[in-house]
């Protein structure tokens, strides 16, 4: 990506530059001829070994054209953030003001709009961004963080340690990954076992995470003011997963809270009336708009028609209790710290605003977080991006290579045990690990990859058969962060392996 027109030191890449880069990428690799834009998939019918029949609708202005596509292979790459989750609020028809999802922020009102009183619902990073945008422009923000939810997310400094290291790079450094529990073998299990199972190693790990949490709390000075104290996270930093963000703002965010430009309310919404939001505390808020930073639906975005289990919420039967027990025992033996789960905060019961969230009978149960076990042998279906991680660039590239190898019928050739029993068990094991590792995040619903993103990449590369240790030296391999450039050449290595050149 060209850096012309913006300063990398500012940490912010303008959206138009990202868009220009994507257009140039499409042109460079002649991808446009493979694309069908302004098109959505209504359904996908499983045709067994023949693949899938897709019913799609193409929008051309006010008109729609429906047709079918026969696909021998189907990759769903819509990820977990493609369909907004908008709460249903009691008496919302009486509100008489706009209500929209935070994903519509950039276009809903052509910028910040003409609002004088903004109400914001949700405690995740995007809500912090919207609160900052309005408050720094001099607009009053009433920020509602649900008492029945996860609370305010952890917000870290955008540079860590006296060396001012970018946080993401620490997560992609092997030394740091050893300090976190992980059940995937990256070739360094003997070191990780010391940190996770030996009393001295566990003491080092506990000290590391305690220092991390204390340093963040001290830097943000939550307890220095009665209002900023409301933004202090409710959960231990160790167990939260991706429910965190960076304080990458030009000015002090917390000063906007201290001076009252941002007013924080820890409460649920009971109902709405004309330009008024009523809270479970008994207070009410006047508002010209309500913006819902309430996340995304984690259920499938299209209608699958198949008699096989898809490994998706609502499309998978509950595994046998013995399989769950076996997986849990494996996890707690390898990662003893995960036995001591945090106590769930005692919140008020959820109100009407949560009634769009239905408890899924099962979380995502995909082999390697990619393929439903029931489809592993047919090799007709894969999911890309069905996870959350700060290392998306590296993981997306690696998942793409893994899926290519899988659809080329190469993955199982690299395995010493490709039995359906082994694949089913590993699927349960890995998804149960996510549940216990990020129990105060979303690990029980879908994969979260934070301190374990690099070992996950190692796992996929080992499946494919290419080198996973790519830094080119003992010291660099252990103490330098992995960057996208370190994975240059993996495609050529895979092609050579597939074609028998090695």
């Amino acid at each position: 990506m060209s850096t012309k027109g913006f300063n990398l030191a500012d940490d912010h890449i303008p959206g138009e530059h990202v868009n220009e880069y994507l257009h140039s990428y499409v042109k460079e690799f002649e991808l446009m001829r493979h694309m069908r834009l302004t098109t959505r998939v209504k359904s996908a019918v499983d045709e067994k070994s023949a693949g899938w029949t897709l019913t799609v609708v193409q929008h051309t202005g006010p008109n729609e054209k429906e047709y079918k596509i026969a696909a021998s292979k189907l990759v769903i790459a819509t990820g977990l953030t493609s369909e907004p989750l908008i709460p249903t609020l009691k008496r919302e028809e009486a509100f008489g003001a706009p209500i929209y999802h935070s994903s519509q922020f950039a276009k809903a009102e052509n910028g910040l709009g003409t609002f004088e009183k903004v109400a914001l619902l949700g405690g995740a990073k995007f809500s912090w961004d919207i609160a900052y945008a309005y408050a720094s422009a001099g607009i009053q923000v009433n920020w509602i963080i649900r008492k029945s939810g996860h609370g305010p997310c952890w917000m870290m400094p955008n540079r860590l340690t006296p060396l001012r290291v970018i946080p993401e790079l620490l997560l992609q450094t092997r030394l740091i990954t050893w300090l976190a529990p992980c059940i995937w073998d990256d070739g360094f299990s003997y070191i990780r076992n010391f940190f996770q199972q030996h009393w001295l190693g566990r003491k080092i790990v506990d000290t590391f995470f305690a220092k991390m949490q204390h340093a963040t709390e001290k830097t943000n000075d939550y307890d220095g003011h009665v209002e900023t104290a409301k933004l202090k996270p409710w959960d231990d930093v160790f167990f939260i997963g991706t429910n965190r963000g960076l304080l990458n703002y030009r000015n002090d965010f917390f000063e906007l809270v201290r001076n009252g430009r941002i007013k924080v309310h820890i409460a649920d919404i009971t109902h709405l009336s004309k330009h008024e939001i009523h809270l479970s505390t008994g207070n009410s808020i006047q508002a010209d708009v309500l913006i819902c930073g309430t996340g995304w639906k984690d259920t499938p975005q299209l209608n699958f028609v198949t008699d096989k289990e898809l490994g998706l919420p609502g499309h998978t039967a509950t595994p046998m209790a013995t399989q769950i027990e076996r997986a849990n025992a494996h996890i707690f033996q390898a990662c003893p710290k995960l036995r001591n789960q945090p106590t769930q905060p005692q919140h008020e019961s959820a109100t009407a605003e949560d009634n769009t969230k239905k408890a899924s009978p099962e979380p995502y149960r995909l082999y390697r977080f990619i393929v439903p076990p029931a489809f592993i042998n047919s090799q007709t279906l894969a999911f890309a991006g069905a996870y959350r991680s700060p290392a998306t660039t590296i993981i997306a590239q690696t998942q793409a290579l893994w899926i290519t190898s899988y659809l080329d019928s190469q993955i199982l050739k690299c395995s010493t045990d490709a039995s359906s029993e082994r694949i089913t068990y590993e699927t349960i094991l890995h998804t149960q690990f996510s549940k216990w590792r990020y129990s105060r995040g979303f690990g029980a619903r879908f994969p979260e990859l934070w301190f374990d993103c690099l070992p996950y990449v190692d796992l996929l590369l080992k499946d494919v058969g290419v080198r996973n240790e790519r830094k080119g030296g003992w010291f660099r391999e252990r103490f330098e962060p992995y960057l996208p450039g370190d994975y240059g050449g993996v495609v050529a290595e895979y092609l050579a392996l597939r074609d028998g050149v090695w």
Side-chain angles (χ1 to χ4, degrees):
M1 183 188 296
S2 171
T3 58
K4 184 179 179 181
F6 66 94
N7 182 8
L8 278 178
D10 186 43
D11 281 350
H12 294 87
I13 302 176
E16 58 267 24
H17 287 268
V18 177
N19 187 263
E20 289 172 6
Y21 171 75
L22 294 176
H23 276 276
S24 65
Y25 189 96
V26 167
K27 182 178 180 181
E28 173 73 17
F29 295 101
E30 300 181 356
L31 297 179
M32 186 57 74
R33 61 193 177 95
H34 299 291
M35 294 184 177
R36 304 188 185 196
L37 304 178
T38 64
T39 302
R40 62 184 175 88
V41 180
K42 289 181 62 177
S43 64
V45 178
D46 182 10
E47 305 291 357
K48 311 302 181 184
S49 60
W52 297 82
T53 298
L54 307 182
T55 300
V56 301
V57 177
Q58 185 172 33
H59 301 268
T60 54
N63 302 316
E64 291 186 351
K65 176 185 177 183
E66 183 174 303
Y67 56 94
K68 296 184 183 298
I69 298 175
S72 58
K73 313 285 186 183
L74 177 61
V75 179
I76 308 296
T78 50
L80 294 173
T81 56
S82 61
E83 190 172 356
L85 176 62
I86 302 177
T88 300
L89 302 172
K90 188 179 294 185
R91 303 179 195 168
E92 64 180 68
E93 70 282 353
F95 188 50
I99 301 175
Y100 61 81
H101 190 262
S102 55
S103 60
Q104 301 169 282
F105 173 64
K107 62 181 180 180
E109 297 296 336
N110 190 27
L112 297 180
T114 58
F115 307 120
E116 295 181 1
K117 299 177 182 178
V118 172
L120 176 62
L121 175 63
K125 174 61 164 71
F126 203 174
S127 294
W128 288 68
D129 294 345
I130 294 174
Y132 178 83
Y134 277 112
S136 59
I139 300 170
Q140 179 63 48
V141 176
N142 276 290
W143 188 4
I144 306 163
I145 298 177
R146 294 175 296 173
K147 191 171 183 179
S148 61
H150 287 266
C153 72
W154 276 93
M155 294 293 285
M156 311 291 187
N158 64 352
R159 292 292 188 274
L160 299 177
T161 78
L163 300 177
R164 293 188 57 76
V165 177
I166 297 174
E168 297 95 307
L169 299 187
L170 284 178
L171 301 175
Q172 293 162 205
T173 303
R174 290 210 183 276
L175 173 63
I176 301 302
T177 69
W178 298 336
L179 298 176
C182 186
I183 56 173
W184 302 309
D185 181 12
D186 56 358
F188 298 90
S189 295
Y190 61 98
I191 303 176
R192 181 174 286 106
N193 288 344
F194 165 73
F195 284 114
Q196 302 306 318
Q197 299 183 15
H198 191 278
W199 71 266
L200 178 59
R202 292 172 65 181
K203 188 70 173 178
I204 294 172
V205 168
D206 289 343
T207 301
F208 171 77
F209 281 100
K211 290 288 186 182
M212 176 192 298
Q213 179 161 325
H214 176 72
T216 300
E217 292 173 342
K218 183 178 179 180
T219 299
N220 294 346
D221 192 23
Y222 292 115
D223 296 326
H225 192 279
V226 65
E227 288 299 312
T228 56
K230 296 177 182 178
L231 293 176
K232 189 173 183 177
W234 301 347
D235 295 307
D236 190 308
V237 72
F238 179 85
F239 287 100
I240 59 170
T242 56
N243 189 28
R244 61 183 96 199
L246 297 179
L247 289 163
N248 53 350
Y249 307 113
R250 297 183 188 278
N251 301 308
D252 182 4
F253 181 97
F254 295 102
E255 178 57 28
L256 296 170
V257 180
R258 289 188 290 266
N259 66 25
R261 185 59 64 185
I262 298 175
K263 177 69 175 175
V264 181
H265 308 266
I266 306 298
D268 290 299
I269 296 177
T270 59
H271 65 281
L272 304 178
S273 59
K274 187 171 179 61
H275 283 240
E276 193 166 8
I277 300 169
H278 300 265
L279 304 178
S280 57
T281 57
N283 297 326
S284 61
I285 296 168
Q286 298 290 321
D288 302 321
V289 63
L290 173 59
I291 305 171
C292 301
T294 44
W296 307 82
K297 295 180 181 180
D298 55 15
T299 50
Q301 292 88 37
L302 58 94
N303 178 33
F304 289 94
V305 181
T306 179
D307 57 6
K308 293 182 179 179
E309 294 188 7
L310 287 167
L312 307 177
H315 293 266
T316 300
T318 303
M320 291 189 300
T322 53
Q323 294 175 311
I324 297 289
E325 290 172 3
R326 178 188 170 195
N328 289 344
H330 181 140
I331 293 164
F332 296 146
Q333 188 280 325
C335 312
K337 184 176 176 65
L338 299 186
R339 295 175 186 156
N340 302 316
Q341 290 290 313
T343 302
Q344 184 173 344
Q346 297 296 315
H347 300 315
E348 294 179 351
S349 60
T351 60
E353 67 187 39
D354 288 313
N355 65 9
T356 55
K357 284 189 177 181
K358 304 299 182 183
S360 299
E362 274 296 297
Y364 279 74
R365 297 274 192 197
L366 303 174
Y367 178 67
R368 298 299 195 249
F369 305 148
I370 298 174
V371 179
F375 286 86
I376 199 73
N377 292 320
S378 66
Q379 297 166 357
T380 60
L381 178 65
F383 292 83
Y387 63 88
R388 284 188 188 173
S389 175
T392 300
T393 306
I394 292 174
I395 294 177
Q397 163 71 15
T398 311
Q399 279 198 343
L401 181 66
W402 194 97
I403 290 171
T404 300
S405 180
Y406 164 69
L407 296 180
D408 277 347
S409 302
Q410 298 297 307
I411 286 292
L412 298 184
K413 290 182 180 180
C414 298
S415 173
T416 57
D417 179 10
S419 68
S420 60
E421 182 180 352
R422 192 271 299 178
I423 288 169
T424 299
Y425 174 68
E426 284 195 5
T427 300
I428 296 171
L429 176 66
H430 294 174
T431 52
Q432 286 298 109
F433 172 73
S434 186
K435 170 185 176 178
W436 297 118
R437 177 63 186 87
Y438 300 112
S439 57
R440 295 305 302 145
F442 300 98
R445 289 161 54 187
F446 48 75
E448 291 201 281
L449 297 161
W450 195 259
F451 291 95
D452 29 42
C453 52
L454 189 56
Y456 175 68
V457 168
D458 294 328
L459 177 72
L460 298 187
L461 291 180
K462 284 186 171 186
D463 281 350
V464 171
V466 304
R467 292 179 299 113
N468 69 299
E469 296 180 28
R470 310 188 64 83
K471 297 298 288 188
W474 187 93
F475 182 87
R476 294 183 63 203
E477 184 64 47
R478 287 155 177 77
F479 301 106
E480 284 189 8
Y482 264 84
L483 300 172
D486 292 311
Y487 295 94
V490 292
V491 174
E493 290 177 28
Y494 164 67
L495 291 175
L497 181 68
R498 185 194 66 178
D499 297 336
V501 176
W502 290 6

